[in-house]
Amino acid sequence: MKTVGYIALRIQEKINWVEDNLLNWPIHENVYFHHCTVAYKPSAEKIEEYKPKLGNVYELNVNGFVLTNEIDVLTVDTIEGLQIENRHPHITVSCARGIKPFYSNEVLEKFTPVDISEQKLTLRGTLYFAEW
């Protein structure tokens, strides 16, 4: 049986981090703000590659955001010492009713994030594997 899941960075900060650093966030009723996907449905080889790093804590430097009527997303810089397979590293903060968090990927293909890198906002994330 093939293992299916994702490798991600579990955000250590609570939602009040967003409330304290971004005006009127989260915007939408369904709040997620819990992880940054590193590899979605990784192969067995990829899982083995990431295994030694599971449990390590990494810094995520927030460099931008996209806000729409459906979703709000934070974008992050590349992470030193960790290869992120996702084309647009991000954290889904919240979604409107009926919108799934994976919609962030589509939104980030369509819209250029607002640059907030000068704010020097940093989160911490612990690498983990979620299986389903």
Side-chain angles (χ1 to χ4, degrees), residues 10-17 33-34 122-125:
R10 180 176 291 115
I11 304 303
Q12 293 181 354
E13 286 76 12
K14 302 296 181 209
I15 194 62
N16 64 324
W17 181 94
F33 190 68
H34 49 68
T122 303
L123 296 164
R124 291 165 295 139

Side-chain angles (χ1 to χ4, degrees), residues 38-49:
V38 173
Y40 184 72
K41 293 185 179 178
S43 65
E45 293 79 20
K46 279 286 178 194
I47 293 170
E48 286 303 314
E49 180 183 321

Side-chain angles (χ1 to χ4, degrees), residues 9-80:
L9 290 161
R10 180 176 291 115
I11 304 303
Q12 293 181 354
E13 286 76 12
K14 302 296 181 209
I15 194 62
N16 64 324
W17 181 94
V18 174
E19 296 162 353
D20 292 345
N21 288 285
L22 300 163
L23 187 63
N24 298 320
W25 282 51
I27 305 299
H28 304 289
E29 61 190 271
N30 297 315
V31 176
Y32 293 94
F33 190 68
H34 49 68
H35 77 274
C36 174
T37 302
V38 173
Y40 184 72
K41 293 185 179 178
S43 65
E45 293 79 20
K46 279 286 178 194
I47 293 170
E48 286 303 314
E49 180 183 321
Y50 285 103
K51 244 185 205 179
K53 297 179 179 186
L54 294 177
N56 289 356
V57 176
Y58 295 88
E59 285 193 352
L60 294 91
N61 296 314
V62 177
N63 61 18
F65 70 85
V66 173
L67 173 62
T68 73
N69 289 333
E70 300 166 318
I71 200 162
D72 46 300
V73 181
L74 295 174
T75 58
V76 298
D77 287 333
T78 56
I79 299 169
E80 188 174 328

